[in-house]
Amino acid sequence: MSLSQEPQKTQSTSASNDPGRVPAWRNLPRRSRGLSLRTLVILRWMAIFGQSATIATATLYLHFDLPLWGCLAAIAASVAMNLNATARLKRSDGSLPDGRQTAAHLGFDILQLSILLGLTGGLQNPFCLLLVAPVTVAAASLPGRQAALMGLMVLAATVSLFFIALPLPWQAGTELNLPPLYKFGIGMALVTGVIFTAAYAWRVAADAEKLELALATTQDVLQREQRLAALGGLAAAAAHELGTPLATIQVVAKELLRASAKDGAAAEDAALILQQAERCREILKRLSQQPEEGETAFAEVGLKALLEEVVEPHRGFDLAFEVSVRTASGEPVPRVRRLPEVVHGLSTLVENAADFAGSKVRVRALVDAGFIEIEVVDDGPGFPADILPRLGEPYVTSRPQGKARRALAAQIAASVAAAAPGRKGRKVGKAAPPPETIAPSQGGMGLGFFIARTLLERTGGKVFVGPGDGGQTPARGQPKGARVAVRWSRSALEVPS
């Protein structure tokens, strides 16, 4: 099957729509930022205004017989709480979020609202649906245990309002009594609404937080690449500044060479100084030329050279790397833009393939009339069925903790053994060959593929994933290995000739 046909049958990472799984309880209390005190004060003033307007309308316009003093006392308690919070806001920086403070204020709001509802009909009061609001805010901004505590408070308030509540205020001379079954239905609807709304708010907030952290990591990677690119300009400036003192050294060395005996030690030293100074001049010349003259070494490179650059840091392990470029109708291999996003993204894909591969990784480019496609194929176990639909989301990983880390552990153990002094009288055997130095892996967090996909798509590429072509798995008869392909239009990556 050709590369041009493969993306049509593989699954694009952008097509992921799996809702994911609800996190386990031990993973819930990770979000602890809460809300700022200023936000809590504003929300409570809004609640106070709404409660006061409702009581005024029911009393003055509808002429309901409300327990007015009890309701006003509950609202006054909320006003006192807000005035105290406003005073604290002036003494401290209230713009910073605080999880415990948010939980305390939301707990007070639940208690105050429950008292108001108990004075005005309990579950018969249609405003009992407002109990959903504090739990939704808690689920979106608090860690799991505190959000669950808010939910339990609302559940306890619902049960209490079912059994303990004053009659629903109604017009004078009329008493409205709803059957217990109806009140039970209202309570069940309230509890169900709290659970589903809180779960939805929790999931949305968790996904937003993970995405925010992953995007921050991506920006950090780009800033690092930009700093590396800026080093080229610094090297050119240093080369220019060092040119003058280096020329002075060469002039003085030539004078010493002329003034010294032909076969003397001073003449040899002067000749060595001249030789090394000339070498330094050649190095500085290369440094000063690279950021200039069209930035050929930095801005553009041959497609095969780009693939070799991406693969080179991962050579030297127990893996065979195959790098190839295929063009249509035998046309020459094009030169492409050496974008930091492309280099880092492809390097991450190769690193992932090397971590999962059994013995071989193939990096191949196909140049067609309208596109350039680069694929990375390994002969490992392939993408798990539960990972493939969500591949490309942050914190989704099945990276093995074995190959790179076992090699790193062996390397450290060998270094410690080599540094340890031998015991007296112990026969020293043949020295063991030094372990191969390995590159540290970035894996384990599930951010590598997300960052790579984000960077590659930023350059106009489209990422596809699917099974590899490393043979058939005997047990299931399915293709073995994994394949990741990135396709660009030629105009997005190729340097015009």
Side-chain angles (χ1 to χ4, degrees):
M1 182 177 294
S2 66
L3 285 174
S4 59
Q5 296 171 336
E6 179 69 12
Q8 300 173 4
K9 295 190 178 182
T10 56
Q11 182 172 0
S12 172
T13 58
S14 61
S16 173
N17 58 1
D18 182 71
R21 298 178 180 175
V22 177
W25 175 263
R26 63 178 178 274
N27 295 327
L28 290 180
R30 291 182 178 177
R31 182 169 63 257
S32 59
R33 292 181 295 179
L35 298 177
S36 65
L37 183 58
R38 180 177 291 107
T39 301
L40 292 170
V41 168
I42 293 174
L43 291 176
R44 185 171 292 111
W45 282 127
M46 294 172 60
I48 291 171
F49 175 79
Q51 292 168 0
S52 302
T54 302
I55 290 177
T57 301
T59 303
L60 301 177
Y61 180 71
L62 299 177
H63 305 290
F64 286 174
D65 187 15
L66 293 174
L68 190 59
W69 291 110
C71 294
L72 292 179
I75 295 177
S78 188
V79 171
M81 181 75 171
N82 232 24
L83 291 177
N84 180 55
T86 303
R88 290 175 52 198
L89 188 61
K90 295 179 180 179
R91 296 194 302 266
S92 61
D93 185 7
S95 61
L96 298 177
D98 189 331
R100 292 185 178 181
Q101 178 178 262
T102 301
H105 280 259
L106 291 177
F108 172 83
D109 291 337
I110 293 173
L111 181 61
Q112 189 260 1
L113 182 58
S114 300
I115 293 175
L116 271 180
L117 291 173
L119 294 173
T120 56
L123 296 183
Q124 300 181 82
N125 191 329
F127 288 100
C128 65
L129 291 178
L130 292 176
L131 287 172
V132 175
V135 183
T136 304
V137 174
S141 60
L142 292 179
R145 291 184 178 90
Q146 295 178 1
L149 179 61
M150 298 298 103
L152 290 177
M153 287 186 63
V154 170
L155 179 61
T158 303
V159 175
S160 300
L161 291 174
F162 181 82
F163 293 103
I164 307 171
L166 296 180
L168 179 67
W170 206 248
Q171 295 176 347
T174 306
E175 184 176 351
L176 180 64
N177 288 320
L178 299 177
L181 183 59
Y182 182 82
K183 292 197 299 182
F184 179 77
I186 292 292
M188 290 300 297
L190 181 60
V191 171
T192 304
V194 165
I195 293 174
F196 277 93
T197 306
Y200 178 80
W202 169 267
R203 186 63 189 178
V204 170
D207 288 346
E209 186 177 24
K210 290 194 295 183
L211 185 60
E212 178 185 353
L213 180 59
L215 289 176
T217 307
T218 304
Q219 292 176 353
D220 193 37
V221 170
L222 286 176
Q223 289 177 357
R224 186 164 62 248
E225 295 290 345
Q226 291 170 356
R227 288 196 296 268
L228 291 176
L231 289 177
L234 293 176
H240 178 73
E241 295 293 333
L242 291 174
T244 300
L246 188 59
T248 304
I249 293 174
Q250 286 183 308
V251 170
V252 174
K254 288 179 181 178
E255 294 296 331
L256 288 176
L257 184 60
R258 292 194 190 98
S260 303
K262 187 175 182 180
D263 297 330
E268 292 180 0
D269 292 341
L272 180 61
I273 292 174
L274 279 174
Q275 178 186 1
Q276 296 302 315
E278 185 62 29
R279 182 182 175 189
C280 291
R281 181 174 290 278
E282 290 296 326
I283 294 173
L284 294 177
K285 183 179 179 181
R286 290 197 299 269
L287 287 176
S288 62
Q289 287 177 347
Q290 283 177 344
E292 301 170 356
E293 299 178 1
E295 298 185 346
T296 54
F298 292 100
E300 63 181 70
V301 69
L303 183 55
K304 181 70 176 292
L306 176 66
L307 301 184
E308 291 289 352
E309 177 186 357
V310 168
V311 170
E312 185 60 32
H314 307 283
R315 293 187 186 275
F317 305 119
D318 55 344
L319 295 174
F321 286 89
E322 177 186 328
V323 179
S324 62
V325 178
R326 195 170 74 225
T327 60
S329 304
E331 64 176 296
V333 177
R335 295 184 66 81
V336 295
R337 296 180 179 86
R338 187 189 177 279
L339 302 174
E341 295 92 338
V342 173
V343 174
H344 183 87
L346 292 179
S347 297
T348 301
L349 298 183
V350 173
E351 179 185 359
N352 288 345
D355 280 348
F356 284 92
S359 60
K360 182 179 180 181
V361 175
R362 186 178 74 243
V363 181
R364 183 171 62 180
L366 171 66
V367 181
D368 209 335
F371 65 86
I372 296 176
E373 183 169 293
I374 299 175
E375 69 166 5
V376 180
V377 182
D378 64 73
D379 60 350
F383 295 113
D386 59 331
I387 292 294
L388 189 58
R390 297 184 291 130
L391 194 62
E393 296 179 8
Y395 303 100
V396 175
T397 181
S398 62
R399 178 185 294 273
Q401 305 296 323
K403 180 184 299 183
R405 298 190 182 185
R406 283 198 303 268
L408 181 59
Q411 179 180 328
I412 294 174
S415 301
V416 172
R423 298 179 181 175
K424 275 188 176 182
R426 187 174 180 178
K427 186 177 179 181
V428 179
K430 185 178 179 181
E436 295 178 350
T437 303
I438 71 169
S441 173
Q442 303 173 1
M445 292 184 62
L447 288 177
F449 191 85
F450 169 80
I451 294 174
R453 193 193 75 169
T454 302
L455 295 177
L456 293 171
E457 290 182 348
R458 181 175 178 176
T459 64
K462 195 170 184 181
V463 182
F464 303 91
V465 297
D469 54 0
Q472 299 292 322
T473 304
R476 300 181 181 178
Q478 297 176 349
K480 183 182 178 184
R483 175 184 182 274
V484 181
V486 190
R487 174 178 289 189
W488 296 267
S489 63
R490 293 192 64 160
S491 59
L493 196 62
E494 185 178 6
V495 176
S497 56

